[in-house]
Amino acid sequence: MPKRERSPEERSSDPAAQQMLIWADELGLGTAFHRADNMVPCNLGAAGMCCKLCGMGPCRLTKEGQTGVCGATIDTIQARNLIRAIAAGSAAHSDHGRDMAFTLKAVANGEAEGYMIRDVAKLRTVAAKYDIPIEERAPEEIANDLADLYIAQFGQQRGEVAPLRRAPDKRQQLWAEHGVVPRGIDREVVEALHRTHIGDDQDPEHILQHAIRTALADGWGGSLIATDVSDILFGTPAPVLGQANLGVLKEDMVNVIVHGHEPTLSEMIVAASQDPEIIEYAQAAGAKGVNLAGICCTANEILMRQGIPAAGNFLQQELSILTGAVEAMVVDVQCIMQALVGLAQNFHTEIITTSPKVKIKEATHIEFNEHRALTIAKEILRHAIDNYKNRGDTHIPDVREDLVPGFSHEYINYMLGGTYRASFRPLNDAIMAGRIRGVAAIVGCNNPRSRHDYLHTYVTQELLKQDVLVVETGCGAIASAKLGLLLGEAGLDNVGPGLREVCETIGIPPVLHMGSCVDNTRILTVLTQMVEEGGLGDDIDQIPAVGLAPEWMSEKALSIGAYCVASGAYVIFGGSSPISGMPNRVSDSDIVLGYISQGWEKLYGGKLEFIDDPDEMIRKTLEHIDKKRAALKLPAYDPTRFGFSGDTRMLELEALPLAERQMALYGAPVPEEV
Ligand code: BF8
């Protein structure tokens, strides 16, 4: 029986997306939303009950006690499937980190056209962490040494991945005790594939221990390298005004969307788009200029550094093409739907692939190379401009929202303590006092199987009411941006009283946008500094904090979840569980589900759970935060104690007649000066 197709409102909670879905229906064109409705997920694969790792299968385990042809149990099969997904996610993030490290090397040696070292302070700070000499050395010399060190982490065979030393001491000891310290990034990914070949590791818990090691190679390895180098080359983010949603596309300009993940390309396209020669070329084609916008994590990279607008998140890549206003969509790696090319053929949009790792049949391929970066970026923009004359009717939804992204770890440090006393003390104090109940990191993808953006924004808003400070990255951050939650004043009326006071005092939004998915490492760095600041325990697992990926879909998300667990976090994934197994499975047959939750919690203090009900996600988040508060002997959360200071209170006071205001402020009328 065909599945019922959902209405646009059921498919997305974003009004711009809804408009484009109605338009798609009028045009008779399909999108991921339509395909999800018409493609019932394979129930065996979705639950991790299918093994296709050798030619004796695929083995479909449908009955309790059944095994694969080789004798593999369902638990072994689920553990193998999960670690393979985590290895792929770790590989994707880390390969991005590797490319960044090679770009740093090329810049240090003057071989990368158009790039420069923008954040020398960060370069020196990072290099000093690895005992690279920094005094009386040129930035290029330091960068060359740091690039060599970072490049070596990928192929290293023994020892420990260097950035691991940036974790809290106690956590490093714990990893050493449990034998999960990653030796080299590539080595752990390769070993994950080896262990899951037919006839290798067959103990599910043993397999999943290596999943932790593989994920740590991502979070405290490849991803951290990617973030460090991006900041060094393109600048460490600081708050900047931006905009988000499809309404950032412009009728009178050549619209170019950059989509994917690596900032090496997108940053150079930003630079090229501001080149007078390119602007003149666009004007000669009849446009006012070139309007750049991002999709997915590329959007986050250029939004938080340059204020370049975000056209949307993962599920808006096709919707942007449906506007008919996009001259070129320039893609690099990850989260790029193959369907883009077929859809674009109904319009004038040119899909341009640029990575030597990613080609799509019938797309234009202009290969990017950091040695000729600016020249190639201009060539790509000329293609887009040449295509402007082919534009037909446009349907750009008039929906966009302002936002302030750019809350890097470094900026939060500065924001809380100033230039000379950069510190996390005020944040720790606010948590200890109970003004801030705890912290939630809400990250990850969109998934067309759930209502686009709804889980992200519902969970975010409900936690804000409960005085939980929210930090966000990836497509989740763009979802909140589109709803106006990333603005200083907007939405503070719906934020709990203690959190509101903190936001008003410091002048921050209640939701802090910390970057792209590789930038989840910024959250690890923040948590580490909160530990080092004191008052919230001596390791990350003691902090009242939870990580959530309400609309996850990618293997990268699973890797992030696993390294956050290994770092001590309680992590909740929404939507479906890839290891749910047979319906109504009981106790001893739920080895994998139990192990990643209670098993990992015993070892690392963090756990991974899949919960599809958003209210249950919120309940469990608050329960965990309160449990951690109690363990630290902090006062129990009590919202009635706060909310009597800050801008909101001052506005209330200002509205009062003078005498009443003076009574409220000073307890007596103030005599007039004579
Ligand atoms: O790395 S959140 S859909 S864009 S995987 Fe992809 Fe998921 Fe978006 Fe960025 Ni992250």
Side-chain angles (χ1 to χ4, degrees):
M1 199 172 68
K3 244 187 115 191
R4 184 183 75 84
E5 289 218 341
R6 293 168 296 168
S7 68
E9 291 75 21
E10 289 170 311
R11 285 173 168 157
S12 176
S13 61
D14 170 358
Q18 290 169 5
Q19 283 185 38
M20 295 319 295
L21 287 168
I22 293 168
W23 180 229
D25 288 339
E26 282 176 27
L27 294 175
L29 296 172
T31 65
F33 296 91
H34 300 80
R35 294 188 293 276
D37 284 354
N38 293 313
M39 166 78 67
V40 179
C42 163
N43 56 359
L44 292 169
M49 290 153 56
C50 172
C51 181
K52 52 184 181 62
L53 298 186
C54 82
M56 296 190 289
C59 295
R60 309 160 77 241
L61 272 55
T62 54
K63 300 189 200 97
E64 196 72 53
Q66 196 178 16
T67 69
V69 173
C70 70
T73 63
I74 186 163
D75 308 298
T76 301
I77 290 169
Q78 287 184 329
R80 283 174 172 166
N81 288 337
L82 183 58
I83 193 178
R84 281 208 163 202
I86 289 172
S90 181
H93 280 151
S94 299
D95 212 29
H96 168 171
R98 182 201 326 266
D99 286 345
M100 296 304 304
F102 273 108
T103 304
L104 182 65
K105 176 85 180 165
V107 175
N109 290 286
E111 295 166 356
E113 182 198 15
Y115 298 100
M116 61 185 286
I117 296 168
R118 281 191 197 277
D119 193 339
V120 176
K122 176 139 189 179
L123 169 69
R124 289 168 65 87
T125 306
V126 171
K129 289 184 196 299
Y130 305 113
D131 303 323
I132 293 171
I134 57 172
E135 297 308 332
E136 295 174 28
R137 299 185 82 201
E140 289 73 19
E141 286 178 275
I142 302 170
N144 187 56
D145 287 357
L146 182 64
D148 285 343
L149 176 91
Y150 273 172
I151 289 165
Q153 302 312 304
F154 296 92
Q156 184 171 283
Q157 301 303 319
R158 296 196 189 89
E160 92 176 42
V161 166
L164 235 68
R165 74 181 65 169
R166 288 157 67 175
D169 293 341
K170 198 170 167 194
R171 186 82 356 206
Q172 293 181 51
Q173 283 164 21
L174 191 76
W175 292 332
E177 280 162 24
H178 295 315
V180 293
V181 171
R183 297 152 291 189
I185 297 164
D186 294 355
R187 180 166 184 183
E188 306 314 343
V189 174
V190 167
E191 188 170 315
L193 294 179
H194 177 193
R195 284 186 188 221
T196 51
H197 184 272
I198 165 74
D200 274 309
D201 204 355
Q202 290 154 47
D203 174 343
E205 295 180 1
H206 192 239
I207 293 169
L208 292 170
Q209 270 297 78
H210 189 70
I212 289 287
R213 199 175 203 177
T214 310
L216 283 172
D218 172 359
W220 293 91
S223 280
L224 200 144
I225 290 172
T227 299
D228 275 356
V229 176
S230 300
D231 286 356
I232 290 167
L233 290 179
F234 307 121
T236 301
V240 57
L241 185 64
Q243 284 195 322
N245 220 335
L246 294 167
V248 304
L249 298 173
K250 297 214 160 62
E251 292 283 0
D252 52 2
M253 294 180 87
V254 174
N255 290 305
V256 177
I257 287 189
V258 277
H259 168 23
H261 284 78
E262 294 182 345
T264 35
L265 166 72
S266 48
E267 285 282 346
M268 211 39 70
I269 291 193
V270 173
S273 71
Q274 290 155 5
D275 190 302
E277 172 198 330
I278 290 294
I279 296 170
E280 270 173 39
Y281 195 70
Q283 287 168 345
K288 277 200 175 150
V290 175
N291 178 45
L292 282 188
I295 291 268
C296 279
C297 282
T298 287
N300 290 318
E301 296 280 359
I302 53 176
L303 173 68
M304 67 182 173
R305 292 198 176 88
Q306 319 277 2
I308 301 293
N313 46 11
F314 176 67
L315 282 178
Q316 284 171 289
Q317 56 187 289
E318 291 174 290
L319 307 185
S320 66
I321 290 176
L322 282 158
T323 63
V326 177
E327 274 59 54
M329 180 177 278
V330 186
V331 304
D332 54 18
V333 295
Q334 301 166 21
C335 303
I336 300 148
M337 291 189 192
Q338 187 169 353
L340 289 175
V341 176
L343 182 65
Q345 283 165 356
N346 295 286
F347 303 90
H348 73 307
T349 307
E350 187 167 8
I351 307 291
I352 303 176
T353 53
T354 57
S355 167
K357 295 168 202 161
V358 175
K359 282 193 176 184
I360 309 176
K361 278 256 179 273
E362 295 179 59
T364 305
H365 189 74
I366 302 178
E367 197 149 303
F368 185 70
N369 168 348
E370 70 270 19
H371 302 289
R372 293 178 49 248
L374 193 57
T375 306
I376 297 169
K378 286 184 190 172
E379 183 190 338
I380 288 171
L381 289 182
R382 278 195 207 95
H383 253 265
I385 294 165
D386 290 344
N387 199 16
Y388 184 63
K389 62 179 178 300
N390 299 320
R391 190 192 277 187
D393 290 342
T394 57
H395 272 78
I396 304 175
D398 188 18
V399 182
R400 71 195 73 78
E401 186 56 78
D402 288 344
L403 74 143
V404 179
F407 290 89
S408 56
H409 160 246
E410 289 82 352
Y411 187 80
I412 297 175
N413 221 346
Y414 161 76
M415 163 184 100
L416 293 172
T419 305
Y420 299 107
R421 286 193 207 142
S423 162
F424 266 54
R425 195 68 254 156
L427 177 62
N428 282 26
D429 284 347
I431 294 173
M432 289 164 69
R435 269 196 177 76
I436 294 179
R437 185 173 184 174
V439 180
I442 303 179
V443 307
C445 324
N446 298 136
N447 188 327
R449 302 251 171 239
S450 60
R451 191 176 176 217
H452 170 226
D453 285 353
Y454 172 73
L455 291 175
H456 279 299
T457 51
Y458 178 72
V459 172
T460 299
Q461 291 175 100
E462 291 304 311
L463 289 177
L464 292 177
K465 287 179 196 161
Q466 299 291 328
D467 289 297
V468 175
L469 176 70
V470 177
V471 297
E472 296 194 344
T473 61
C475 290
I478 299 176
S480 286
K482 290 185 286 173
L483 205 67
L485 299 174
L486 303 190
L487 276 174
E489 300 304 319
L492 278 186
D493 287 347
N494 296 317
V495 168
L499 176 61
R500 194 183 68 214
E501 275 187 0
V502 174
C503 291
E504 287 174 344
T505 306
I506 306 175
I508 53 168
V511 182
L512 302 181
H513 185 329
M514 295 192 74
S516 63
C517 275
V518 293
D519 292 335
N520 283 311
T521 60
R522 296 190 200 277
I523 299 173
L524 297 179
T525 317
V526 162
L527 293 170
T528 301
Q529 196 175 341
M530 287 169 76
V531 168
E532 287 166 354
E533 189 63 52
L536 294 174
D538 60 359
D539 198 355
I540 293 173
D541 62 328
Q542 294 170 47
I543 298 175
V546 176
L548 299 109
E551 300 180 26
W552 82 278
M553 64 86 201
S554 76
E555 292 169 314
K556 290 182 291 173
L558 289 171
S559 180
I560 293 166
Y563 75 63
C564 287
V565 168
S567 302
Y570 174 27
V571 176
I572 297 172
F573 272 45
S576 66
S577 160
I579 47 165
S580 59
M582 291 167 196
N584 308 319
R585 288 183 79 201
V586 281
S587 60
D588 63 339
S589 63
D590 286 335
I591 289 175
V592 172
L593 270 181
Y595 187 68
I596 64 169
S597 179
Q598 297 98 303
W600 275 351
E601 190 172 30
K602 265 192 216 125
L603 295 172
Y604 306 108
K607 59 183 173 179
L608 177 58
E609 287 180 351
F610 292 86
I611 299 171
D612 58 4
D613 174 5
D615 290 312
E616 184 66 359
M617 281 183 217
I618 293 159
R619 191 189 69 72
K620 294 203 100 174
T621 298
L622 296 173
E623 182 184 85
H624 183 81
I625 284 174
D626 290 345
K627 193 175 90 185
K628 293 292 170 183
R629 292 189 65 85
L632 288 166
K633 303 205 172 13
L634 300 179
Y637 169 67
D638 176 6
T640 62
R641 291 171 54 220
F642 303 106
F644 303 107
S645 62
D647 292 349
T648 310
R649 178 65 178 146
M650 290 314 293
L651 288 175
E652 284 168 11
L653 288 171
E654 272 171 27
L656 294 174
L658 180 66
E660 281 181 48
R661 183 161 75 237
Q662 290 176 343
M663 282 299 288
L665 282 171
Y666 311 115
V670 178
E672 274 186 40
E673 278 189 41
V674 281

